Amino acid sequence: VQLVESGGGLVQSGGSLRLSCVASGYTYSSYYMTWFRQAPGKEREGVVALASDGSTWYADSVKGRFTISKDDLKDTLYLQMNSLKPEDTGVYYCAADCVFDEGIWYSTYGGQGTQVTVS
C-alpha cells in the first residue's frame, strides 16, 4: 500500500489549500481514511475522517472550514481547507484503515506527509 500526499504549501491566514492523497495497492475497507496533522512540538492528531459509507468525522477545530472527499475513479482522497489559521500549520498525513478508539485515531497505513504553513 502506498499513499502519496501533495498540495501543501505556504498560504496566508484566511487562505485555502486542497491536499490530495493518491492511494495505490489499497482496497477501500470498512475502516476510515483519515487526514492527520502534526504541528511542531505536538502530538499527531486526527483532523478529518471518511468512512466507506460516506460518513465523516471532523475535529472541532476544523469544523466548518475543512472538507474531506474521495474520488474513487482516481483513487484519491482530498482535503479542502478554507479559512486557514496559523494554528493549522503542520505536516498533514493521509492514512488508511483507521479506527477511532477512546478519542484517539489509529492507522494501519500512512503517507510521508505534506507541509502546510499558514502565516
Side-chain angles (χ1 to χ4, degrees), residues 31-35 47-60 62-64 66-70 77-79 100 105:
Y31 296 104
Y32 285 84
M33 292 199 74
T34 303
W35 284 98
V47 177
V48 296
L50 175 66
S52 57
D53 65 0
S55 59
T56 56
W57 176 91
Y58 291 88
D60 289 341
V62 305
K63 282 180 181 176
F66 289 13
T67 304
I68 189 171
S69 61
K70 181 163 63 73
L77 184 72
Y78 299 102
L79 178 61
F100 189 63
W105 281 100

Side-chain angles (χ1 to χ4, degrees), residues 4-11 16-22 35 77-79 81 84 92 113-117:
V4 179
E5 304 94 337
S6 63
L10 173 64
V11 64
S16 298
L17 283 174
R18 188 177 80 156
L19 306 183
S20 300
C21 170
V22 179
W35 284 98
L77 184 72
Y78 299 102
L79 178 61
M81 305 186 294
L84 283 162
Y92 283 70
T114 184
Q115 176 71 45
V116 171
T117 304

Side-chain angles (χ1 to χ4, degrees), residues 29-108:
S29 69
S30 58
Y31 296 104
Y32 285 84
M33 292 199 74
T34 303
W35 284 98
F36 289 82
R37 71 183 176 192
Q38 187 163 19
K42 293 188 177 181
E43 296 282 328
R44 188 185 75 160
E45 62 174 348
V47 177
V48 296
L50 175 66
S52 57
D53 65 0
S55 59
T56 56
W57 176 91
Y58 291 88
D60 289 341
S61 59
V62 305
K63 282 180 181 176
R65 300 188 299 121
F66 289 13
T67 304
I68 189 171
S69 61
K70 181 163 63 73
D71 185 331
D72 291 333
L73 293 179
K74 297 182 178 179
D75 289 332
T76 302
L77 184 72
Y78 299 102
L79 178 61
Q80 178 66 42
M81 305 186 294
N82 299 327
S83 302
L84 283 162
K85 305 175 181 180
E87 52 263 44
D88 295 318
T89 294
V91 179
Y92 283 70
Y93 301 89
C94 167
D97 278 8
C98 301
V99 295
F100 189 63
D101 184 29
E102 296 186 349
I104 299 175
W105 281 100
Y106 298 91
S107 62
T108 301

